[in-house]
Each structure stands twice: as C-alpha cells, then as structure tokens.
Amino acid sequence: MSESSIENTAPVEPLFGRLLTAMVTPFAADGSVDEKATAELAQELVARGNDGLVVCGTTGEYSTMTDEENARVFRIVKDAVGDKASIIAGVGSNDTQHTIHVASLAEEVGVDGLLVVTPYYNKPTQSGLLAHFRTVADSVKTPIMLYDIPGRAGIQIAPETMVALAEHPNIVAVKDAKADFASATEVMSRTDLQFYSGDDGLTLPWMAIGAQGLIGVTTHVIPEQFRDLIDSVVRGDLATAQRIHRDVHPVVTATMTRVPGAVAAKTILQWQGRLATNTVRLPHVEPTEAETARIRSDLEGSAAASSIE
C-alpha cells in the first residue's frame, strides 16, 4: 500500500450522510428565535455540502428553549431543506418521559433521525441507561442516534451497553464525543451501529477506524474544507486528507476551545456576514474582549481568514 492511499472500510451508504452540522439556532437581538435566519442558514449549509443537519442539539441551545420552540425549529428546518438533507432532531434530556415527549414532537414533523444524549446530572447506572434508551426507542418509529459525551453527561455509555442497545431495531447510530477509539472499535466489530465523530478535530482518525463522518460545529465556518476532508478519506487519498486535517486545525481551535461552540460559531458567523447577531441565551454569554481577541488570532492566516470581516 502506498503512503498516499488508505483502504476505505466505511459502508458505501451511511444512514444520515457523512458531513452533518450541529446547527446553531439563530436568535434575534431580543433573544427570540429568528425563524427567517434559521431557514436561510439551513439552506446555505446544505448548499455548501452538508448531507444533514442536527437541529436543536447542544450547539442549537435546545436546553434553553421551550418544547414549543424546539418543535417549531424542527419544522422550519425540515420545510427549508425538504429532502435535500437528513434532519436529525435533538430530543434528549435527563428525564426519560420528557425525552419521549420531545421525540414525539419531532416525529410529527417527519425528521429522519433523533439524537438522544446520555442522561446528564442524574448519573444513572448502565442498567439505567439501557432502560432509558430502550424506553425512548420503544416509543417512536424514527431511527435513533445515541450521543455519548461523558464530558457533559458525567458518565459514558459502556461498550457492553452499546452492544446491548444495538439489538434494538430503532437504535442505529452513535455520535461519539469521548474519542475512545479502542472502545468504539470493539462496538463496531460487534454491531452494525454507525459511528459519527463528535470531535471536529478528530474527523480523520475517526474515519480511519470506520466512522461514517462528522457531526461538527466548525463545519458552520468552513463547510467546504470538511467536505473535502471527508471525501478524501472516502476515496482513499490519505495525503490530501492529512493536509486538510492540518489546515482546518486553527479554525477548530477558534471554534471549539476558547468559548462554548455555540457562542464561537455564532460570533464567527456574524463576522462572516452570515448572521445578523451572535445572540445566545443565558447561561451562555457573548465572548469577552480577551476571548474575542484569541478567536480572531486563531483565525488569522487560517482557512477561514478570507471570509472574516
């Protein structure tokens, strides 16, 4: 095998596509959902190479929105892009019955998938996680993507738990934000669950072990570069994938490490002239002057530099 090529082991047809953006929810200056901006951003992201959108996830600030607002945003995005992209609705919470309620609202809209996060704060046992995810999966017909993010939830979904959950016909995929490649490899080898990187900067290594692609936040800022990165891996062009992996690194740093991703993404989108405001809801706040300076410094000379005002 040459140094410039790798064998593609990923399935030909990913369930939800390969490049997905965990979309921000645009707010007007008064904090209300900006419905026009939401539709326009969804359409733009799809036009610029996204196969799917995760709506009202962590980056979408779902936890500070009412159920009615979340359902409305599901509908706005679905209507805006139609069948041009997969729509995955963030419906998870630390309350099983509340998760089922929001999942039912998303299902009424006709979304393509449901993102269900590990219950946070409660810290249930693995048996509790099994019961939670199975109960949600039993309540709907829409395919479910598990969201494993112990940095926020406080616990991980253990490999044996994932293997057991994979037996449920409605549980089909995982967004992994813990970067435990050994555990993921074990689950991939024992199940048909399709994995997606939950870490923007680890897209290349994730796909190298068999993940389908990325659910990203930095993909708001430079969607074409992430499209090219993923496509390079799929066609086995390792040299190009490595180069793009390095090129996107400063933008990932700017978007994901200085302030919460929702805050940084909205701020950079505003600098790019793609959002009118960078309004977020408490407990998020806009970047301080020092944080803003760091983000701008990260972007200087980066793949996003020419798009920043």
Side-chain angles (χ1 to χ4, degrees), residues 246-282:
R246 292 188 290 266
D247 288 345
V248 302
H249 176 71
V251 190
V252 173
T253 300
T255 310
M256 303 305 297
T257 69
R258 304 306 186 184
V259 293
V263 177
K266 285 186 172 182
T267 297
I268 298 170
L269 285 169
Q270 185 182 38
W271 294 345
Q272 291 179 316
R274 297 164 60 201
L275 283 186
T277 77
N278 65 339
T279 305
V280 289
R281 290 184 179 178
L282 288 170

Side-chain angles (χ1 to χ4, degrees), residues 21 46 170 206 231 280:
T21 291
V46 173
N170 267 9
W206 263 115
D231 290 347
V280 289

Side-chain angles (χ1 to χ4, degrees), residues 96-199:
T96 304
Q97 292 305 312
H98 185 214
T99 299
I100 290 171
H101 172 64
V102 181
S104 70
L105 297 177
E107 195 162 60
E108 288 174 8
V109 170
V111 300
D112 301 287
L114 304 171
L115 183 68
V116 183
V117 70
T118 312
Y120 40 85
Y121 186 71
N122 302 16
K123 298 185 76 173
T125 63
Q126 293 298 310
S127 295
L129 292 183
L130 273 171
H132 171 78
F133 287 119
R134 283 173 172 165
T135 301
V136 175
D138 285 342
S139 74
V140 293
K141 296 180 180 179
T142 306
I144 286 175
M145 177 185 290
L146 307 174
Y147 186 10
D148 192 10
I149 182 165
R152 290 183 183 272
I155 54 172
Q156 70 169 345
I157 308 174
E160 289 298 330
T161 304
M162 280 198 189
V163 170
L165 288 169
E167 296 174 2
H168 197 293
N170 267 9
I171 297 175
V172 299
V174 180
K175 178 184 177 184
D176 191 298
K178 69 177 185 297
D180 185 341
F181 296 118
S183 292
T185 299
E186 179 182 349
V187 176
M188 288 180 191
S189 69
R190 297 172 61 189
T191 75
D192 292 327
L193 291 173
Q194 295 197 0
F195 274 70
Y196 288 82
S197 172
D199 292 292

Side-chain angles (χ1 to χ4, degrees), residues 253-255 257-260 263-264 267-268 271 278 280 283-299:
T253 300
T255 310
T257 69
R258 304 306 186 184
V259 293
V263 177
T267 297
I268 298 170
W271 294 345
N278 65 339
V280 289
H284 284 328
V285 294
E286 296 175 12
T288 64
E289 288 186 12
E291 290 164 344
T292 297
R294 292 190 191 98
I295 295 169
R296 283 197 175 273
S297 177
D298 293 332
L299 294 174

Side-chain angles (χ1 to χ4, degrees), residues 185-234:
T185 299
E186 179 182 349
V187 176
M188 288 180 191
S189 69
R190 297 172 61 189
T191 75
D192 292 327
L193 291 173
Q194 295 197 0
F195 274 70
Y196 288 82
S197 172
D199 292 292
D200 296 14
L202 298 180
T203 305
L204 176 55
W206 263 115
M207 292 193 71
I209 69 164
Q212 307 306 308
L214 167 68
I215 297 175
V217 179
T218 311
T219 50
H220 285 92
V221 181
I222 47 171
E224 291 86 357
Q225 285 84 345
F226 278 97
R227 179 80 263 173
D228 289 345
L229 170 58
I230 289 169
D231 290 347
S232 295
V233 177
V234 171

